[in-house]
Amino acid sequence: MSKDVRAIFAGSFDPITNGHIDIIERAAKMFSHLEVGLLINPNKKTLFTMDERVDLIREATKHLDNVSVISFDGLLIDYCMKNNIGVLVRGVRTIADMEYELQMAHMNKELNDGLETIILPTSKTYSFISSSLIKEVLHFDADVSNLVPTCVIEKLKEKNK
Ligand code: PNS
């Protein structure tokens, strides 16, 4: 563990998946504190509201003592500077992901040289999961119970009542 290093794992988490949880659990072991940062984007149409997503992430990460959940808007680097966060954690599944992640890492470094990006490869088991694909198959009532935390399934059932 990197003592006294605060890190953030940011995203839109609509919804949080087992792939995200895998990255969160592994990053939580590496840093003294990990924030899961939910990007507030009122213009983006989402399946779950912001409050629902925050609640779901909190529920799905409640077993991790050094993880907290926040929401932010604006530039991620600004949030990090104001909150003493030194590392951005990102997960990658594919080479295509890597190209986008490298661009973001370089841009964030350009904007704030003091911040580092750590890129973790997603575990093989979860390498095909994305929130968008989950939503696509859900639209056709597919069973995604192996792919997302139980609380997400419960929330979906509640919504469909
Ligand atoms: O879940 P996503 O879409 O992969 O998350 C992307 C996210 C939220 C990490 C990225 O879009 C972001 O940091 N947005 C905040 C605005 C910002 O800082 N943009 C510059 C990125 S180089």
Side-chain angles (χ1 to χ4, degrees):
M1 191 211 290
S2 299
K3 289 243 174 334
D4 296 330
V5 175
R6 294 170 61 79
I8 190 165
F9 179 49
S12 32
F13 305 107
D14 184 44
I16 189 161
T17 69
N18 287 346
H20 294 128
I21 298 293
D22 166 55
I23 297 293
I24 293 168
E25 287 176 344
R26 286 157 60 204
K29 288 188 194 137
M30 298 167 65
F31 302 101
S32 54
H33 188 83
L34 180 74
E35 285 193 13
V36 181
L38 178 68
L39 174 68
I40 304 170
N41 185 350
N43 299 322
K44 198 170 160 184
K45 199 175 165 342
T46 54
L47 176 62
F48 292 99
T49 66
M50 202 193 70
D51 288 344
E52 284 172 337
R53 282 176 286 155
V54 167
D55 287 348
L56 289 172
I57 305 169
R58 287 211 171 110
E59 177 65 24
T61 58
K62 67 180 182 201
H63 58 296
L64 300 166
D65 287 344
N66 64 336
V67 171
S68 57
V69 185
I70 53 95
S71 47
F72 74 99
D73 60 2
L75 276 181
L76 180 56
I77 55 145
D78 288 341
Y79 178 82
C80 292
M81 267 194 288
K82 281 183 204 135
N83 292 279
N84 194 27
I85 289 169
V87 174
L88 308 175
V89 173
R90 298 290 294 168
V92 290
R93 296 158 296 193
T94 60
I95 294 295
D97 276 357
M98 194 64 190
E99 287 197 19
Y100 174 59
E101 292 304 329
L102 271 179
Q103 275 188 320
M104 281 214 299
H106 289 143
M107 177 57 88
N108 283 324
K109 187 92 178 130
E110 172 70 24
L111 299 175
N112 179 354
D113 196 33
L115 265 180
E116 292 297 345
T117 298
I118 300 280
I119 296 179
L120 291 177
T122 308
S123 299
K124 282 182 294 197
T125 334
Y126 304 122
S127 60
F128 64 96
I129 309 179
S130 71
S131 297
S132 347
L133 267 187
I134 295 281
K135 280 182 279 194
E136 185 171 330
V137 298
L138 268 175
H139 183 71
F140 299 100
D141 289 331
D143 177 8
V144 294
S145 50
N146 288 333
L147 311 178
V148 295
T150 319
C151 57
V152 172
I153 300 289
E154 282 162 6
K155 190 79 203 170
L156 280 165
K157 282 188 193 150
E158 230 175 76
K159 266 186 184 273
N160 293 337
K161 263 184 197 164

